[in-house]
Amino acid sequence: MDKRILIPTDFSKNALNAARYALDLYSKLNCEFYFLNVFSLDGYTTKSLSFPEPDSAEYRTAQAKSHDSFLKLLDMLKLHNDNPKHAFHTISTFNYLSEAIKRTIAEKDIDLIVLGTQGASGTKGVIFGSNTVKAMEKIRECPVMAVPKNVQFSIPKEIVFPTNYKATFKRRKLSYLIEIAKMFESTVRVLYVSKKHDLTELQESNKQLLHAIMEPIKHDFHNLTENDVAEGITSFVESRNSDMIAFINHKHFFFNSVFSKPLVKEIGYKAIVPILALH
């Protein structure tokens, strides 16, 4: 069965970079790529009380501009990687970005979303743009991957999987991580960051379950003594030059502790790698 991947785009270099990363990551698989552009109109915003009529001149002009931009984008992607396993589809719409994404997920049965990020140059001290953060937090229907600006594809030899072992693991939630690890014979480094390394009985049980689920792939377990979870993960990734971070997004707490603005302002984030948020 083909994999269906959604890539929202504003036709920026950042969005193009994310698209190229996705094409390379899934170069071995049959994929349907859906590119989504939410266009804007002068005088209208998604906060306006009235929406423009689809047959109005300004609507048709904006839609045509989006269509032309898609033609250029597809030409660039085919030059980058003209893969017979890949098919491209484009969607132009005037809508809230989150609503457009959710509608496309439902209508096209999307398996994975790949997003570009704002990058450190966008807003000082912020690695992930607000749209990317919102998508990774709010979209629960499928995994979301964020590809930082200027990160070029390299085989993900090492994937860091941070966890506190407090929630029970399920095979289906980890299926995308395991699929990527199998494709590239990656090693998954399971990372537990805590002041104390003693696990409760429940945590130990969950750790053994995770070990069983990851049995088909290379993996090992690491403990790191660190007061700050986010700082521990960052230093681990940097020191090992890891290629990707994957984590299960539980109830926002872990997400916010890793990607909050204070983290970036306090310690910076030099070893920028793609992030895969599993739900």
Side-chain angles (χ1 to χ4, degrees), residues 104-170:
T104 308
I105 291 170
E107 291 178 355
K108 306 301 181 184
D109 192 23
I110 296 297
D111 297 302
L112 172 72
I113 298 171
V114 179
L115 286 160
T117 62
Q118 186 171 322
S121 61
T123 302
K124 191 174 181 181
V126 179
I127 294 295
F128 292 102
S130 58
N131 285 333
T132 307
V133 170
K134 285 176 185 174
M136 294 182 82
E137 274 196 297
K138 294 183 178 180
I139 293 166
R140 318 297 295 182
E141 294 86 352
C142 65
V144 179
M145 179 179 288
V147 181
K149 186 179 181 181
N150 298 329
V151 169
Q152 294 186 335
F153 177 79
S154 61
I155 291 173
K157 295 175 183 175
E158 179 169 293
I159 303 171
V160 177
F161 181 76
T163 179
N164 58 14
Y165 300 121
K166 289 181 179 178
T168 303
F169 298 102
K170 291 183 169 59

Side-chain angles (χ1 to χ4, degrees), residues 29-143:
L29 300 186
N30 292 322
C31 295
E32 302 275 339
F33 287 95
Y34 291 85
F35 294 92
L36 171 67
N37 174 240
V38 177
F39 58 80
S40 58
L41 279 77
D42 292 336
Y44 289 94
T45 70
T46 48
K47 295 178 182 177
S48 302
L49 293 176
S50 61
F51 269 36
E53 293 295 325
D55 59 351
S56 67
E58 60 262 33
Y59 189 100
R60 289 199 302 270
T61 299
Q63 196 173 39
K65 185 178 178 183
S66 176
H67 179 261
D68 289 344
S69 296
F70 267 133
L71 292 177
K72 293 175 185 175
L73 172 64
L74 296 184
D75 282 344
M76 284 189 284
L77 291 178
K78 285 174 181 175
L79 281 172
H80 171 74
N81 183 2
D82 194 6
N83 190 333
K85 291 178 178 286
H86 294 169
F88 298 151
H89 311 275
T90 62
I91 302 167
S92 298
T93 184
F94 180 86
N95 201 342
Y96 298 98
L97 178 62
S98 57
E99 287 300 315
I101 288 174
K102 289 192 174 187
R103 177 179 290 184
T104 308
I105 291 170
E107 291 178 355
K108 306 301 181 184
D109 192 23
I110 296 297
D111 297 302
L112 172 72
I113 298 171
V114 179
L115 286 160
T117 62
Q118 186 171 322
S121 61
T123 302
K124 191 174 181 181
V126 179
I127 294 295
F128 292 102
S130 58
N131 285 333
T132 307
V133 170
K134 285 176 185 174
M136 294 182 82
E137 274 196 297
K138 294 183 178 180
I139 293 166
R140 318 297 295 182
E141 294 86 352
C142 65

Side-chain angles (χ1 to χ4, degrees), residues 21 25 128 145-148 150-162 177 180-181 184-189 218 233-246 269-276:
Y21 188 94
L25 184 66
F128 292 102
M145 179 179 288
V147 181
N150 298 329
V151 169
Q152 294 186 335
F153 177 79
S154 61
I155 291 173
K157 295 175 183 175
E158 179 169 293
I159 303 171
V160 177
F161 181 76
L177 171 59
I180 291 170
F184 298 103
E185 297 183 353
S186 314
T187 299
V188 175
R189 310 291 184 188
K218 290 182 284 187
I233 296 167
T234 304
S235 61
F236 186 85
V237 169
E238 287 185 336
S239 66
R240 302 181 61 87
N241 199 23
S242 305
D243 304 293
M244 186 181 291
I245 297 172
Y269 199 82
K270 302 182 190 72
I272 301 173
V273 296
I275 311 292
L276 175 62

